[in-house]
Amino acid sequence: MNALTIKQLKKTYNNGFQALQGVDLEVESGDFFALLGPNGAGKSTLIGIISSLVNKTSGSVEVFGHDLDRETAQAKTCIGLVPQEINFNQFETVGNVVLNQAGFYGIPAKLAKQRTEKCLRQMDLWERRNSVSRRLSGGMKRRLMIARAMVHEPRLLILDEPTAGVDIEIRRAMWQMMAEVNQQGTTIILTTHYLEEAESLCRNIAIIDQGQIIKKAPMHQFLNSI
Ligand code: ADP
Ligand code: ADP
């Protein structure tokens, strides 16, 4: 089964700019998929549409067989999104950032606590659960973003440059954590500027440029072609 099936997806913003010009893309369930492309290529637009944050102009998107237009709620609960900008309430404790998200998904209190612990442990933040999130380092904040996005156990995790600005040691530790999440069965789509990051993590890769997928291949094949 496909985690994602996108057909002829187009987006024209209100100012007339065509950010996506007919994107076709399939991502298989269980994949660790890299979406690479220069600034302005359309990565955030594409992710925004998949996550129902941006309206598409035309075309279709299915998430685990749920059409985004006709089965919006089902499609949305399949997805955990980690956007680029840190957008949790920085005055909340680390634990509450995740717990509140569970509440947002209507997860019962006891289960919410269990899930919060699991996600925080997985991102190596459990010891910091009582810290005010503002006090975390940049790398910890990024991991908290991931922990929060996982609390409803999405089948598809979308990570928009999750390691941007994080130094190399922490980045490598995060790679290990992301690989584990994928090994446990979660499909991951990762956008990144670091080819090295995509190379070490991802099985398949697509290159987007000027609103079009210009290449899609298994990682080993892609690396042989550059
Ligand atoms: P939509 O077509 O999805 O309704 P809009 O064209 O109304 O989106 O723009 C949504 C928001 O993005 C607006 O607040 C706009 O100011 C902002 N925006 C406009 N141009 C850009 C740009 N080039 N990059 C990022 N954001 C932009
Ligand atoms: P990427 O994530 O690959 O950097 P984006 O999807 O953010 O690319 O942007 C793709 C193009 O669409 C860019 O040229 C950007 O300026 C433009 N764009 C993004 N958001 C808006 C908007 N709301 N209104 C108009 N243009 C936008």
Side-chain angles (χ1 to χ4, degrees), residues 13-15 17 19 37-46 84 208:
Y13 281 107
N14 289 345
N15 65 358
F17 185 81
N39 268 332
K43 300 181 295 296
S44 297
T45 301
L46 182 57
Q84 276 180 44
I208 184 169

Side-chain angles (χ1 to χ4, degrees), residues 143-154:
R143 271 145 51 204
L144 180 53
M145 294 285 291
I146 300 176
R148 184 183 63 167
M150 294 197 310
V151 79
H152 65 296
E153 300 196 329

